């Protein structure tokens, strides 16, 4: 079904979102602070709104994708939102999303927050995912339109959940990047071919480890950190060894040191016989 959809914010991401909606046959109205960014989309069939108010008035679904939440408030401050669904796909924090939901509701609108798990080049293609939270009714009403941009996944009615899960996924990614780069620096110090190391050894190893990790959360859920895999004392000694090896190879272990500090702390507090998932207790 063809929907009327307005998009506010035509940066790299907003333009990709608008393009995917046009490709799917929706009637798209666009607005951007720097007006020239609307031109390629107008050439593809979008309607240009002269003001934010005109963009909001044009469609029951208003997608906003700008730099940050202060910019969202700045843009929508003087515009009534009665009868509108605001889908805010701007990256933010859970607290910001909850405040934005209240702010939009106070202006008569319904709110869904979205966490985009994709880069602009992935939008409209298989593999792109957007997490949504907030108004279930608003999500259900526009789920098929959202599907044109990326697989839509509704994660809950707390508006803060989509950004929280988005940030959690980025956290996992940064941890993996830290381990990957430390490993590459260590191997590079020995002059071993890096492509050979990463493609035939490191990545298969990381994939195998990642595949086992959903089992770990059972310990966190039950708060029972008994392990038959490897206990913290063994990991403490392993990390000690790693850090020494790094220094002997003249490579800084700086991205590993925060993990080592938490393992040392947990072990010193008498939990050396438990498994690695118990480190979550030190983070509470
Ligand atoms: N790019 C990605 O890979 C990616 C992935 C996931 C999520 N996101 C999120 O998507 C959002 C947009 O990112 P992007 O990559 O499209 O960034 P971008 O290319 O830098 O575009 C930023 C957009 O925000 C607008 N903007 C900034 N400050 C504004 C203000 N005070 N008032 C009005 N408009 C303002 C810009 O308008 P002008 O054109 O006038 O400057 C532009 O439309 C961000 O929240 C980002 O975190 C991006």
């Amino acid at each position: 079904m063809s929907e009327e959809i307005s998009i506010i914010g035509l940066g790299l991401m907003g333009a990709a979102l608008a393009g995917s909606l046009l490709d799917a046959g929706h009637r798209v109205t666009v607005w951007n602070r720097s007006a020239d960014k609307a031109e390629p989309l107008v050439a593809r069939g979008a309607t240009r709104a002269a003001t934010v108010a005109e963009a909001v008035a044009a469609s029951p679904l208003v997608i906003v994708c700008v730099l940050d939440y202060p910019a969202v408030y700045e843009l929508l401050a003087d515009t009534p939102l009665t009868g509108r669904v605001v889908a805010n796909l701007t990256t933010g924090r859970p607290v910001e999303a909850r405040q934005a939901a209240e702010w939009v509701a106070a202006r008569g609108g319904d709110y869904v927050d979205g966490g985009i798990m994709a880069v602009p080049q992935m939008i409209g293609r298989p593999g792109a995912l957007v997490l949504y939270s907030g108004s279930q009714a608003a999500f259900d009403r526009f789920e098929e339109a959202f599907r044109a941009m990326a697989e839509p996944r509704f994660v809950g009615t707390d508006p803060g959940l989509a950004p929280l899960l988005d940030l959690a996924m980025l956290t996992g990614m940064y941890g993996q990047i830290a381990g990957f780069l430390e490993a590459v620096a260590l191997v590079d110090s020995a002059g071993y071919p890096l492509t050979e190391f990463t493609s035939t050894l490191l990545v298969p190893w990381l994939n195998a480890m990642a595949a086992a990790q959903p089992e770990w959360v059972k310990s966190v859920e039950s708060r029972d950190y008994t392990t038959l895999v490897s206990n913290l004392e063994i990991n403490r000694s392993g990390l000690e060894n790693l850090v020494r090896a790094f220094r002997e190879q003249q490579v800084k272990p700086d991205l590993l040191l925060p993990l080592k500090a938490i393992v040392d702390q947990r072990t010193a507090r008498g939990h050396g016989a438990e498994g690695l998932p118990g480190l979550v207790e030190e983070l509470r």
Side-chain angles (χ1 to χ4, degrees):
M1 176 178 144
S2 170
E3 300 275 8
E4 290 178 311
I5 303 170
S6 292
I7 303 228
I8 294 173
L10 302 173
L12 293 173
M13 185 52 84
L17 298 173
S20 67
L21 292 168
L22 285 169
D23 289 346
H26 295 294
R27 286 159 288 158
V28 178
T29 298
V30 292
W31 182 90
N32 192 61
R33 181 179 61 178
S34 314
D36 57 315
K37 289 188 187 164
E39 277 159 25
L41 293 158
V42 170
R44 290 168 64 184
T47 302
R48 183 202 305 269
T51 61
V52 170
E54 207 176 290
V56 171
S59 314
L61 173 60
V62 179
I63 295 173
V64 187
C65 186
V66 290
L67 175 67
D68 56 15
Y69 281 57
V72 175
Y73 290 126
E74 200 181 302
L75 289 172
L76 297 179
D78 301 323
T79 308
L81 299 172
T82 313
R84 294 291 175 265
V85 167
V86 175
N88 185 15
L89 303 193
T90 302
T91 302
R93 304 189 308 281
V95 162
E96 290 183 301
R98 291 178 195 123
Q99 285 168 349
E102 285 176 18
W103 190 87
V104 167
R107 281 159 181 76
D110 218 356
Y111 184 85
V112 281
D113 206 277
I116 304 173
M117 309 310 303
V119 296
Q121 292 68 21
M122 293 166 67
I123 296 300
R125 297 168 189 268
L129 171 71
V130 177
L131 305 174
Y132 292 92
S133 57
S135 165
Q136 172 98 57
F139 175 80
D140 291 346
R141 161 85 177 78
F142 290 111
E143 181 176 358
E144 285 319 306
F146 292 149
R147 195 174 298 286
M149 302 185 287
E151 182 199 329
R153 180 102 47 103
F154 188 77
V155 293
T157 53
D158 167 5
L161 267 177
L164 186 128
L165 296 182
D166 179 343
L167 296 177
M169 286 170 78
L170 294 177
T171 301
M173 178 193 80
Y174 282 122
Q176 200 223 35
I177 286 172
F180 180 89
L181 294 178
E182 281 286 14
V184 165
L186 184 64
V187 170
D188 198 33
S189 74
Y192 190 84
L194 293 178
T195 304
E196 165 87 7
F197 167 65
T198 51
S199 58
T200 69
L201 292 171
L202 182 59
V203 170
W205 167 247
L206 289 177
N207 285 338
M209 292 301 289
Q213 281 168 349
E215 280 296 309
W216 292 25
V217 294
K218 291 180 183 160
S219 303
V220 180
E221 282 167 347
S222 66
R223 308 279 197 269
D224 175 0
Y225 299 110
T226 313
T227 182
L228 295 174
V229 182
S230 76
N231 64 37
L232 268 186
E233 181 49 41
I234 286 290
N235 282 281
R236 190 204 59 72
S237 151
L239 280 162
E240 186 78 48
N241 198 42
L242 258 181
V243 165
R244 284 185 65 180
F246 266 83
R247 294 198 166 123
E248 285 158 6
Q249 286 293 124
Q250 326 254 304
V251 180
K252 291 181 194 156
D254 293 13
L255 297 174
L256 272 178
L257 292 179
L259 174 65
K260 181 178 183 304
I262 295 281
V263 170
D264 289 348
Q265 179 180 304
R266 182 92 181 140
T267 314
R269 277 156 34 82
H271 297 280
E274 294 178 355
L276 280 166
L279 294 183
V280 166
E281 295 298 330
E282 300 296 309
L283 306 176
R284 292 188 200 283

